[in-house]
Amino acid sequence: MPTTVLLEPGAVALESLGATAFVTARVRDQNGEPMAADGLVWSTDDVSVATVAGTGVVLAVGNGATTLRAAVGDAEATVPVTVAQAAASLTLDVDSLSFRDPGDTATVAATAEDALGSVIDAPEVTWSAGDTTVARVGPSGIVEAVGEGTTFVRASSGSGEATIPVRVAPELALVQLGTFPVVARVGDEVALSARVQDLAGSAYSGAVVSWSVGAASGMIASQQETPSDVTGSVAAVWSLGTVPGTQRAFANLRTRGQLLEIEFLADVQPGEPVS
């Protein structure tokens, strides 16, 4: 008659829904001698957490804790079973973030999956930002712009990790300075100037403005790319072409993926350049 059931291992811990573990049962009689495990009945106290097959194969069904039981006759043994999904991968709902002004916020959501691809409800996610002078992130994934620049936000859970780039840059405007069109002679040099500013009208420094000319409109005699100074100003020298008529020069600025362009016109007359 079976009097003892021994189960190995002494505890089962599963980290993915659908994961399995094998529990071995050994049955002994009153003399401690091994017996065949015929008639052994397997069960779990909570089948919403784990189930068990007649061969001792435990299947994770949901997160939680339960007890595995193996019984034959009056003999029974138990093993604690825990199912706690561990994140093996992590994805974020956006590929990048771009902010216009300090103080702007956006919420990033993270989806974690276990090793078998089941989504984890309410995963514990740790958030961090690379440069907190540019952006910071709270424990719930709310990202706040702090200052101009670029950085990254990282989310991690278990062995899963995901990172997205973050950029804080105001939307800019390019304003023409001076009075145009100008009247000049072929070969004259004309001073070009513009101002880079944000949408509130404040000067913006460090923005690179590119200068170019139209067909038969001479050349840019100075640097073809100039950064705006602390007042937002940029300048270039335009050397007019040799063909009388309307000539054109351009200033270009790329901001938030868009190209801004302003045009400078010159009514060019024939004659000797003015020295």
Side-chain angles (χ1 to χ4, degrees):
M1 170 180 284
T3 58
T4 305
V5 178
L6 301 175
L7 298 179
E8 292 182 358
V12 174
L14 300 170
E15 295 185 338
S16 300
L17 301 187
T20 59
F22 184 70
V23 177
T24 301
R26 292 183 173 84
V27 180
R28 298 183 183 277
D29 61 19
Q30 64 271 23
N31 297 318
E33 296 296 325
M35 293 183 59
D38 297 337
L40 193 66
V41 177
W42 297 88
S43 64
T44 60
D45 289 354
D46 189 344
V47 293
S48 69
V49 175
T51 60
V52 60
T55 54
V57 178
V58 183
L59 172 68
V61 177
N63 291 289
T66 187
T67 300
L68 168 71
R69 300 180 185 276
V72 55
D74 293 330
E76 183 184 77
T78 62
V79 167
V81 177
T82 58
V83 178
Q85 285 176 280
S89 65
L90 197 69
T91 57
L92 302 180
D93 64 341
V94 293
D95 296 327
S96 63
L97 288 176
S98 181
F99 294 106
R100 178 176 298 174
D101 300 304
D104 290 349
T105 62
T107 300
V108 180
T111 299
E113 295 182 353
D114 62 29
L116 295 181
S118 294
V119 174
I120 301 174
D121 293 332
E124 293 185 3
V125 179
T126 300
W127 298 88
S128 61
D131 186 346
T132 55
T133 65
V134 175
R136 55 176 171 251
V137 59
S140 58
I142 298 177
V143 183
E144 180 183 7
V146 177
E148 182 185 346
T150 57
T151 185
F152 63 85
V153 164
R154 176 176 291 127
S156 59
S157 181
S159 59
E161 184 176 277
T163 302
I164 57 172
V166 177
R167 181 172 181 259
V168 181
E171 187 172 353
L172 302 178
L174 186 60
V175 180
Q176 186 183 95
L177 300 180
T179 302
F180 286 86
V182 297
V183 178
R185 295 182 181 179
V186 293
D188 278 354
E189 288 190 343
V190 177
L192 304 178
S193 61
R195 184 174 190 262
V196 181
Q197 60 189 41
D198 61 25
L199 297 189
S202 299
Y204 188 86
S205 63
V208 177
V209 173
S210 300
W211 303 91
S212 61
V213 298
S217 295
M219 60 180 290
I220 298 298
S222 58
Q223 294 287 337
Q224 294 187 347
E225 291 187 346
T226 54
S228 56
D229 62 20
V230 292
T231 68
S233 298
V234 288
V237 177
W238 177 18
S239 180
L240 297 174
T242 58
V243 179
T246 300
Q247 297 189 22
R248 292 173 169 82
F250 306 94
N252 293 282
L253 171 66
R254 186 168 294 278
T255 173
R256 297 174 68 85
Q258 296 183 346
L259 186 65
L260 305 180
E261 181 178 83
I262 56 176
E263 183 181 56
F264 300 84
L265 295 177
D267 182 7
V268 182
Q269 307 295 318
E272 293 296 324
V274 177
S275 60

